[in-house]
Amino acid sequence: MTSLLGGARILAAKDLKVEARAKETFPPMLAFAFAVTVLLSFTLPAGSDLQAPREIPPLGTVAVADVLAGFLWVTILFAGLIGFARTFEAEREDGAIEALLLSPVDRSALWIAKASANLAFIAAIELFLLPLFALLFGFHLGSGWLTLIGVVALADVGFVSVGTLFASAAAQTRSKELMLPILALPALVPLFLAAVELSSRLFVGAPVSDVASSGWFVILAVYDLVVIGVALLAYEFVID
């Protein structure tokens, strides 16, 4: 385990250093997230109320909190897919992927390294995105911010686990940008449903106990455990 994590740490540090020099992954993700957020800020009518509804809404209507949570996670989803598509871009351009696979490092360490680097990119995007959403859409969570960060962290772990796994498979095809969403989106549906539901509850001021005891929270936690286990076991076959 020590050698596995040590190899993963070295490979992840390499990827982050390459990105710090080349700046080919994070800037496009950030530009996309900013542009989409600004455009979406014009779609909600003025004076939209994020308070919890006091009565059953009319048939065919959607709570503003649900819409806002959907906006947030769709933006994160597609910004992440932009970054995941470039997971093996440096190795492909330099012809180093074969040498990397022949190195005396467990294949699982390679997945951990790539997932860790992708997680760093996603977290950096969200550090920018969440305050921007709060500013443009006018929601104030107070102490709920800590719970939202916990939900986001859980969702991110599952997101990068699945995204990195399928990005590795898609990298071996000519149309990796097209294949990645085709492969990953069906597997990500439960994750983003749970993230949207939990975020929506927080936007209307639901207490921490309500969120933590929610079935959606359990789904999110179990999803993370399952996909991490599957990725660790299957990555050796996926990357081949």
PDB file of all heavy atoms in Angstrom, residues 88 92 97 101 165-176 179 235-240:
ATOM      1  N   PHE A  88      -4.875  12.030 -20.516  1.00  0.00           N
ATOM      2  CA  PHE A  88      -3.666  11.412 -21.053  1.00  0.00           C
ATOM      3  C   PHE A  88      -3.114  12.184 -22.250  1.00  0.00           C
ATOM      4  O   PHE A  88      -2.347  11.633 -23.038  1.00  0.00           O
ATOM      5  CB  PHE A  88      -3.961   9.960 -21.466  1.00  0.00           C
ATOM      6  CG  PHE A  88      -3.997   9.004 -20.309  1.00  0.00           C
ATOM      7  CD1 PHE A  88      -5.198   8.669 -19.725  1.00  0.00           C
ATOM      8  CD2 PHE A  88      -2.829   8.459 -19.802  1.00  0.00           C
ATOM      9  CE1 PHE A  88      -5.243   7.787 -18.665  1.00  0.00           C
ATOM     10  CE2 PHE A  88      -2.867   7.581 -18.730  1.00  0.00           C
ATOM     11  CZ  PHE A  88      -4.074   7.243 -18.159  1.00  0.00           C
ATOM     12  N   ARG A  92       0.077  11.154 -24.646  1.00  0.00           N
ATOM     13  CA  ARG A  92      -0.199  10.829 -26.049  1.00  0.00           C
ATOM     14  C   ARG A  92       0.641  11.696 -26.979  1.00  0.00           C
ATOM     15  O   ARG A  92       1.178  11.206 -27.979  1.00  0.00           O
ATOM     16  CB  ARG A  92      -1.684  11.020 -26.355  1.00  0.00           C
ATOM     17  CG  ARG A  92      -2.575   9.912 -25.810  1.00  0.00           C
ATOM     18  CD  ARG A  92      -4.033  10.306 -25.940  1.00  0.00           C
ATOM     19  NE  ARG A  92      -4.389  10.568 -27.327  1.00  0.00           N
ATOM     20  CZ  ARG A  92      -4.821   9.650 -28.175  1.00  0.00           C
ATOM     21  NH1 ARG A  92      -4.985   8.403 -27.772  1.00  0.00           N
ATOM     22  NH2 ARG A  92      -5.119   9.955 -29.418  1.00  0.00           N
ATOM     23  N   ILE A  97       3.028   7.187 -23.317  1.00  0.00           N
ATOM     24  CA  ILE A  97       2.053   6.339 -22.641  1.00  0.00           C
ATOM     25  C   ILE A  97       2.551   4.899 -22.516  1.00  0.00           C
ATOM     26  O   ILE A  97       2.354   4.254 -21.477  1.00  0.00           O
ATOM     27  CB  ILE A  97       0.692   6.385 -23.382  1.00  0.00           C
ATOM     28  CG1 ILE A  97      -0.357   5.577 -22.613  1.00  0.00           C
ATOM     29  CG2 ILE A  97       0.836   5.908 -24.820  1.00  0.00           C
ATOM     30  CD1 ILE A  97      -0.689   6.124 -21.272  1.00  0.00           C
ATOM     31  N   LEU A 101       3.210   2.841 -19.011  1.00  0.00           N
ATOM     32  CA  LEU A 101       2.578   1.567 -18.693  1.00  0.00           C
ATOM     33  C   LEU A 101       3.602   0.473 -18.415  1.00  0.00           C
ATOM     34  O   LEU A 101       3.307  -0.493 -17.703  1.00  0.00           O
ATOM     35  CB  LEU A 101       1.658   1.139 -19.844  1.00  0.00           C
ATOM     36  CG  LEU A 101       0.441   2.034 -20.090  1.00  0.00           C
ATOM     37  CD1 LEU A 101      -0.342   1.540 -21.300  1.00  0.00           C
ATOM     38  CD2 LEU A 101      -0.457   2.085 -18.861  1.00  0.00           C
ATOM     39  N   LEU A 165     -11.671   6.951 -14.938  1.00  0.00           N
ATOM     40  CA  LEU A 165     -11.749   5.585 -15.451  1.00  0.00           C
ATOM     41  C   LEU A 165     -12.153   5.576 -16.920  1.00  0.00           C
ATOM     42  O   LEU A 165     -11.499   4.938 -17.759  1.00  0.00           O
ATOM     43  CB  LEU A 165     -12.746   4.780 -14.620  1.00  0.00           C
ATOM     44  CG  LEU A 165     -12.937   3.317 -15.014  1.00  0.00           C
ATOM     45  CD1 LEU A 165     -11.655   2.524 -14.795  1.00  0.00           C
ATOM     46  CD2 LEU A 165     -14.099   2.698 -14.235  1.00  0.00           C
ATOM     47  N   PHE A 166     -13.210   6.301 -17.249  1.00  0.00           N
ATOM     48  CA  PHE A 166     -13.684   6.300 -18.632  1.00  0.00           C
ATOM     49  C   PHE A 166     -12.800   7.157 -19.539  1.00  0.00           C
ATOM     50  O   PHE A 166     -12.727   6.904 -20.742  1.00  0.00           O
ATOM     51  CB  PHE A 166     -15.129   6.760 -18.695  1.00  0.00           C
ATOM     52  CG  PHE A 166     -16.101   5.719 -18.214  1.00  0.00           C
ATOM     53  CD1 PHE A 166     -16.840   5.909 -17.064  1.00  0.00           C
ATOM     54  CD2 PHE A 166     -16.267   4.537 -18.901  1.00  0.00           C
ATOM     55  CE1 PHE A 166     -17.717   4.946 -16.609  1.00  0.00           C
ATOM     56  CE2 PHE A 166     -17.149   3.555 -18.463  1.00  0.00           C
ATOM     57  CZ  PHE A 166     -17.877   3.757 -17.304  1.00  0.00           C
ATOM     58  N   ALA A 167     -12.142   8.161 -18.976  1.00  0.00           N
ATOM     59  CA  ALA A 167     -11.203   8.946 -19.779  1.00  0.00           C
ATOM     60  C   ALA A 167     -10.039   8.080 -20.223  1.00  0.00           C
ATOM     61  O   ALA A 167      -9.511   8.251 -21.335  1.00  0.00           O
ATOM     62  CB  ALA A 167     -10.695  10.137 -18.971  1.00  0.00           C
ATOM     63  N   SER A 168      -9.639   7.148 -19.378  1.00  0.00           N
ATOM     64  CA  SER A 168      -8.550   6.240 -19.747  1.00  0.00           C
ATOM     65  C   SER A 168      -8.963   5.334 -20.893  1.00  0.00           C
ATOM     66  O   SER A 168      -8.166   5.039 -21.790  1.00  0.00           O
ATOM     67  CB  SER A 168      -8.151   5.397 -18.534  1.00  0.00           C
ATOM     68  OG  SER A 168      -7.750   6.228 -17.464  1.00  0.00           O
ATOM     69  N   ALA A 169     -10.218   4.872 -20.874  1.00  0.00           N
ATOM     70  CA  ALA A 169     -10.713   4.045 -21.971  1.00  0.00           C
ATOM     71  C   ALA A 169     -10.881   4.863 -23.241  1.00  0.00           C
ATOM     72  O   ALA A 169     -10.511   4.421 -24.338  1.00  0.00           O
ATOM     73  CB  ALA A 169     -12.037   3.406 -21.571  1.00  0.00           C
ATOM     74  N   ALA A 170     -11.432   6.077 -23.105  1.00  0.00           N
ATOM     75  CA  ALA A 170     -11.671   6.917 -24.278  1.00  0.00           C
ATOM     76  C   ALA A 170     -10.370   7.410 -24.903  1.00  0.00           C
ATOM     77  O   ALA A 170     -10.326   7.685 -26.101  1.00  0.00           O
ATOM     78  CB  ALA A 170     -12.546   8.112 -23.884  1.00  0.00           C
ATOM     79  N   ALA A 171      -9.301   7.525 -24.100  1.00  0.00           N
ATOM     80  CA  ALA A 171      -8.023   8.030 -24.614  1.00  0.00           C
ATOM     81  C   ALA A 171      -7.437   7.123 -25.681  1.00  0.00           C
ATOM     82  O   ALA A 171      -6.591   7.560 -26.472  1.00  0.00           O
ATOM     83  CB  ALA A 171      -7.031   8.194 -23.466  1.00  0.00           C
ATOM     84  N   GLN A 172      -7.862   5.882 -25.717  1.00  0.00           N
ATOM     85  CA  GLN A 172      -7.344   4.939 -26.704  1.00  0.00           C
ATOM     86  C   GLN A 172      -8.117   4.974 -28.021  1.00  0.00           C
ATOM     87  O   GLN A 172      -7.836   4.199 -28.928  1.00  0.00           O
ATOM     88  CB  GLN A 172      -7.379   3.530 -26.110  1.00  0.00           C
ATOM     89  CG  GLN A 172      -6.611   3.422 -24.792  1.00  0.00           C
ATOM     90  CD  GLN A 172      -6.729   2.050 -24.162  1.00  0.00           C
ATOM     91  OE1 GLN A 172      -6.411   1.044 -24.781  1.00  0.00           O
ATOM     92  NE2 GLN A 172      -7.181   1.995 -22.926  1.00  0.00           N
ATOM     93  N   THR A 173      -9.096   5.875 -28.116  1.00  0.00           N
ATOM     94  CA  THR A 173      -9.877   6.027 -29.343  1.00  0.00           C
ATOM     95  C   THR A 173      -9.515   7.334 -30.028  1.00  0.00           C
ATOM     96  O   THR A 173      -8.917   8.228 -29.425  1.00  0.00           O
ATOM     97  CB  THR A 173     -11.383   6.012 -29.036  1.00  0.00           C
ATOM     98  OG1 THR A 173     -11.724   7.178 -28.266  1.00  0.00           O
ATOM     99  CG2 THR A 173     -11.754   4.768 -28.234  1.00  0.00           C
ATOM    100  N   ARG A 174      -9.888   7.450 -31.279  1.00  0.00           N
ATOM    101  CA  ARG A 174      -9.587   8.681 -32.015  1.00  0.00           C
ATOM    102  C   ARG A 174     -10.473   9.832 -31.581  1.00  0.00           C
ATOM    103  O   ARG A 174     -10.042  10.991 -31.565  1.00  0.00           O
ATOM    104  CB  ARG A 174      -9.765   8.437 -33.521  1.00  0.00           C
ATOM    105  CG  ARG A 174      -8.753   7.483 -34.120  1.00  0.00           C
ATOM    106  CD  ARG A 174      -8.947   7.363 -35.621  1.00  0.00           C
ATOM    107  NE  ARG A 174      -7.949   6.486 -36.222  1.00  0.00           N
ATOM    108  CZ  ARG A 174      -7.888   6.199 -37.521  1.00  0.00           C
ATOM    109  NH1 ARG A 174      -8.784   6.744 -38.354  1.00  0.00           N
ATOM    110  NH2 ARG A 174      -6.958   5.401 -37.980  1.00  0.00           N
ATOM    111  N   SER A 175     -11.704   9.559 -31.246  1.00  0.00           N
ATOM    112  CA  SER A 175     -12.660  10.615 -30.883  1.00  0.00           C
ATOM    113  C   SER A 175     -12.893  10.603 -29.375  1.00  0.00           C
ATOM    114  O   SER A 175     -14.000  10.381 -28.902  1.00  0.00           O
ATOM    115  CB  SER A 175     -13.975  10.420 -31.634  1.00  0.00           C
ATOM    116  OG  SER A 175     -13.770  10.368 -33.016  1.00  0.00           O
ATOM    117  N   LYS A 176     -11.829  10.851 -28.608  1.00  0.00           N
ATOM    118  CA  LYS A 176     -11.943  10.739 -27.153  1.00  0.00           C
ATOM    119  C   LYS A 176     -12.890  11.774 -26.571  1.00  0.00           C
ATOM    120  O   LYS A 176     -13.577  11.524 -25.598  1.00  0.00           O
ATOM    121  CB  LYS A 176     -10.575  10.855 -26.503  1.00  0.00           C
ATOM    122  CG  LYS A 176      -9.819  12.151 -26.787  1.00  0.00           C
ATOM    123  CD  LYS A 176      -8.453  12.122 -26.141  1.00  0.00           C
ATOM    124  CE  LYS A 176      -7.702  13.423 -26.390  1.00  0.00           C
ATOM    125  NZ  LYS A 176      -7.460  13.673 -27.806  1.00  0.00           N
ATOM    126  N   MET A 179     -16.303  10.232 -27.195  1.00  0.00           N
ATOM    127  CA  MET A 179     -16.531   8.964 -26.500  1.00  0.00           C
ATOM    128  C   MET A 179     -16.643   9.135 -24.995  1.00  0.00           C
ATOM    129  O   MET A 179     -17.407   8.408 -24.339  1.00  0.00           O
ATOM    130  CB  MET A 179     -15.392   7.985 -26.824  1.00  0.00           C
ATOM    131  CG  MET A 179     -15.397   7.461 -28.236  1.00  0.00           C
ATOM    132  SD  MET A 179     -16.949   6.606 -28.644  1.00  0.00           S
ATOM    133  CE  MET A 179     -16.940   5.289 -27.437  1.00  0.00           C
ATOM    134  N   TYR A 235      -9.076  -1.051 -13.414  1.00  0.00           N
ATOM    135  CA  TYR A 235      -8.250  -0.114 -14.178  1.00  0.00           C
ATOM    136  C   TYR A 235      -7.172  -0.830 -14.984  1.00  0.00           C
ATOM    137  O   TYR A 235      -6.842  -0.413 -16.092  1.00  0.00           O
ATOM    138  CB  TYR A 235      -7.613   0.905 -13.241  1.00  0.00           C
ATOM    139  CG  TYR A 235      -7.040   2.080 -13.987  1.00  0.00           C
ATOM    140  CD1 TYR A 235      -7.884   3.015 -14.591  1.00  0.00           C
ATOM    141  CD2 TYR A 235      -5.667   2.253 -14.120  1.00  0.00           C
ATOM    142  CE1 TYR A 235      -7.368   4.087 -15.298  1.00  0.00           C
ATOM    143  CE2 TYR A 235      -5.149   3.320 -14.818  1.00  0.00           C
ATOM    144  CZ  TYR A 235      -6.007   4.231 -15.401  1.00  0.00           C
ATOM    145  OH  TYR A 235      -5.496   5.295 -16.105  1.00  0.00           O
ATOM    146  N   GLU A 236      -6.613  -1.905 -14.426  1.00  0.00           N
ATOM    147  CA  GLU A 236      -5.572  -2.643 -15.138  1.00  0.00           C
ATOM    148  C   GLU A 236      -6.075  -3.127 -16.497  1.00  0.00           C
ATOM    149  O   GLU A 236      -5.312  -3.134 -17.487  1.00  0.00           O
ATOM    150  CB  GLU A 236      -5.118  -3.822 -14.297  1.00  0.00           C
ATOM    151  CG  GLU A 236      -4.045  -4.668 -14.943  1.00  0.00           C
ATOM    152  CD  GLU A 236      -3.582  -5.802 -14.067  1.00  0.00           C
ATOM    153  OE1 GLU A 236      -4.059  -5.890 -12.897  1.00  0.00           O
ATOM    154  OE2 GLU A 236      -2.743  -6.609 -14.530  1.00  0.00           O
ATOM    155  N   PHE A 237      -7.328  -3.507 -16.570  1.00  0.00           N
ATOM    156  CA  PHE A 237      -7.887  -4.016 -17.827  1.00  0.00           C
ATOM    157  C   PHE A 237      -8.335  -2.864 -18.734  1.00  0.00           C
ATOM    158  O   PHE A 237      -8.240  -2.965 -19.954  1.00  0.00           O
ATOM    159  CB  PHE A 237      -9.069  -4.931 -17.520  1.00  0.00           C
ATOM    160  CG  PHE A 237      -8.737  -6.044 -16.568  1.00  0.00           C
ATOM    161  CD1 PHE A 237      -9.084  -5.951 -15.219  1.00  0.00           C
ATOM    162  CD2 PHE A 237      -8.039  -7.168 -17.003  1.00  0.00           C
ATOM    163  CE1 PHE A 237      -8.771  -6.974 -14.342  1.00  0.00           C
ATOM    164  CE2 PHE A 237      -7.729  -8.193 -16.135  1.00  0.00           C
ATOM    165  CZ  PHE A 237      -8.082  -8.091 -14.794  1.00  0.00           C
ATOM    166  N   VAL A 238      -8.814  -1.772 -18.130  1.00  0.00           N
ATOM    167  CA  VAL A 238      -9.273  -0.623 -18.919  1.00  0.00           C
ATOM    168  C   VAL A 238      -8.113   0.033 -19.645  1.00  0.00           C
ATOM    169  O   VAL A 238      -8.194   0.377 -20.833  1.00  0.00           O
ATOM    170  CB  VAL A 238      -9.984   0.391 -18.011  1.00  0.00           C
ATOM    171  CG1 VAL A 238     -10.275   1.684 -18.775  1.00  0.00           C
ATOM    172  CG2 VAL A 238     -11.271  -0.207 -17.473  1.00  0.00           C
ATOM    173  N   ILE A 239      -6.990   0.220 -18.954  1.00  0.00           N
ATOM    174  CA  ILE A 239      -5.872   0.941 -19.538  1.00  0.00           C
ATOM    175  C   ILE A 239      -5.157   0.115 -20.607  1.00  0.00           C
ATOM    176  O   ILE A 239      -4.497   0.656 -21.489  1.00  0.00           O
ATOM    177  CB  ILE A 239      -4.869   1.355 -18.447  1.00  0.00           C
ATOM    178  CG1 ILE A 239      -3.898   2.430 -18.953  1.00  0.00           C
ATOM    179  CG2 ILE A 239      -4.118   0.159 -17.918  1.00  0.00           C
ATOM    180  CD1 ILE A 239      -4.572   3.722 -19.319  1.00  0.00           C
ATOM    181  N   ASP A 240      -5.318  -1.199 -20.564  1.00  0.00           N
ATOM    182  CA  ASP A 240      -4.733  -2.055 -21.617  1.00  0.00           C
ATOM    183  C   ASP A 240      -5.514  -1.945 -22.906  1.00  0.00           C
ATOM    184  O   ASP A 240      -4.990  -2.159 -23.970  1.00  0.00           O
ATOM    185  CB  ASP A 240      -4.707  -3.512 -21.153  1.00  0.00           C
ATOM    186  CG  ASP A 240      -3.557  -3.761 -20.165  1.00  0.00           C
ATOM    187  OD1 ASP A 240      -2.605  -2.985 -20.163  1.00  0.00           O
ATOM    188  OD2 ASP A 240      -3.673  -4.727 -19.375  1.00  0.00           O
TER     189      ASP A 240
END
